[in-house]
Amino acid sequence: MWTLAAGWSVPLPAGPDTSVQLVLSFGPVEPPDSEWFSAIAECFPAAQHLYASGGGQIANGAVDDAHTVVTTVSFDHATLVPVVRDGVTVENSRAIGADIGAELTRIAGLRHVLIFAEGISINAAGFLDGLNPMLPPGVKVSGGLASNGILLTRSVIGLNDTPTTGRAVALGLVGESLVIGTGSVGGWDLFGPDRIVTRSTVAEVFELDGERALDVYSRYLGEFAKELPGSGLLFPLAVRSYKDGPISVRTLVGINEAEGSMRFAGDIPTGSIVRLMRTTTDKLIDGAAQAAELAHDGLAEGSSALTLCISCIGRRAVMRSRVEEEIEEVARLSGASTVVGFYSNGEIAPPSDGREFAAAVLHNQTMTVTTISER
């Protein structure tokens, strides 16, 4: 762990360590200076260095806002292939996802893909719609969107250089030795009536039942409406494409008071059926435990493992001072595994509904856990 004031909690190696293949850094939206990145590159010259900004960093049972959490990863047999694209926007997200998928599918022995993307100017659902069909059968995807907490103003991603906005990074994990598990669980309840989205564009909703969407939403929030858009994290939308269909959860990331519209971290097409959601801290903690159990079912026995936690900033907004309890649950169920991660603007993983080879989807308001080990 590192801060500008205190430096490193554990000193960097005195000489180059070429065994490290991946460095994962999760930290504030204002990253360290270029000398910090250069020092890591000198210490781990063979590694790909991924930096993602978070709304709080996760390290072995604790949540930390002050430090940048840095984790080095070495594989015994597996390898790593990065793919990076810049200039990601809401409009081109699907095309960029397809472009990344086309490059990944040419990698022989591809086993899993970790996705880290900026969390403001992206349509992550569209990105995954472009990516998933391009991948070989059986290749799973997990990861998350960068954040700067409830400010919802800026997020950055870096790969081997200073982090920036508008970037998406895919880390292709290659090798038959890999054993990877995923789990993604929410813990939210529905309330209020169903509403029909009568006008929307990609991830921006203008009308619900023919009325300005922001007006409808604000009525249900009551006093919380004064704190929008941040308070919207407490009340996500459940989205269905048809009555009694599967639910996608979408988190509010911005409002336009003049237009009366709301922008979400994922698409909500016109004609969708939506309903508000709410929860309790205990339900969220239980959801985190379920996600960890699902992900750890596939761990290679007796192997050193990495547990990657990506939880939604909306969950943190609900749990407040109890937020570490969900991380403690994941750490408790992870045993000797190293547990790291961050609070995100959106989580990426296959749905935890029993389908063995389900494509990854965008989740909001979930705890998503990915375990990585080798047999």
Side-chain angles (χ1 to χ4, degrees), residues 94-302:
R94 185 185 299 265
I96 285 184
D99 186 38
I100 289 176
E103 185 166 340
L104 288 167
T105 198
R106 293 193 288 267
I107 301 171
L110 183 67
R111 181 81 180 204
H112 190 88
V113 180
L114 292 175
I115 295 289
F116 299 94
E118 88 114 78
I120 302 294
S121 60
I122 187 174
N123 173 12
F127 176 90
L128 292 171
D129 285 344
L131 173 73
N132 286 325
M134 306 299 296
L135 298 176
V139 174
K140 289 186 176 182
V141 178
S142 63
L145 307 181
S147 174
N148 69 334
I150 62 172
L151 295 178
L152 300 172
T153 54
R154 186 168 176 263
S155 68
V156 296
I157 293 287
L159 185 71
N160 303 326
D161 63 5
T162 303
T164 186
T165 59
R167 176 171 290 171
V169 174
L171 301 176
L173 302 182
V174 179
E176 289 298 318
S177 64
L178 287 165
V179 180
I180 298 172
T182 60
S184 189
V185 178
W188 294 77
D189 295 325
L190 300 169
F191 79 101
D194 286 342
R195 300 278 184 177
I196 304 297
V197 178
T198 46
R199 185 161 72 95
S200 67
T201 57
V202 191
E204 190 162 9
V205 177
F206 291 86
E207 292 182 1
L208 296 173
D209 291 339
E211 187 179 353
R212 288 185 8 144
L214 184 57
D215 294 345
V216 175
Y217 193 79
S218 296
R219 280 204 304 272
Y220 280 94
L221 265 61
E223 287 297 312
F224 286 103
K226 299 176 183 177
E227 302 170 25
L228 285 170
S231 62
L233 297 170
L234 308 176
F235 302 97
L237 285 187
V239 182
R240 294 183 174 99
S241 57
Y242 56 90
K243 189 172 178 59
D244 299 325
I247 288 176
S248 298
V249 182
R250 294 289 178 259
T251 295
L252 184 72
V253 296
I255 62 173
N256 184 326
E257 293 188 11
E259 295 284 345
S261 63
M262 305 185 296
R263 185 161 49 88
F264 291 85
D267 56 344
I268 303 181
T270 298
S272 298
I273 302 169
V274 300
R275 197 172 171 190
L276 268 72
M277 305 183 80
R278 61 189 174 189
T279 190
T280 66
T281 294
D282 288 337
K283 287 182 178 180
L284 295 182
I285 294 168
D286 289 344
Q290 292 172 39
E293 288 172 346
L294 288 166
H296 284 83
D297 280 348
L299 274 178
E301 192 170 344

Side-chain angles (χ1 to χ4, degrees), residues 270 279 343 353 371:
T270 298
T279 190
Y343 280 83
D353 58 5
T371 57

Side-chain angles (χ1 to χ4, degrees), residues 22-38:
L22 173 63
V23 177
L24 294 173
S25 292
F26 304 130
V29 73
E30 297 299 336
D33 61 24
S34 59
E35 291 185 5
W36 185 86
F37 287 92
S38 297

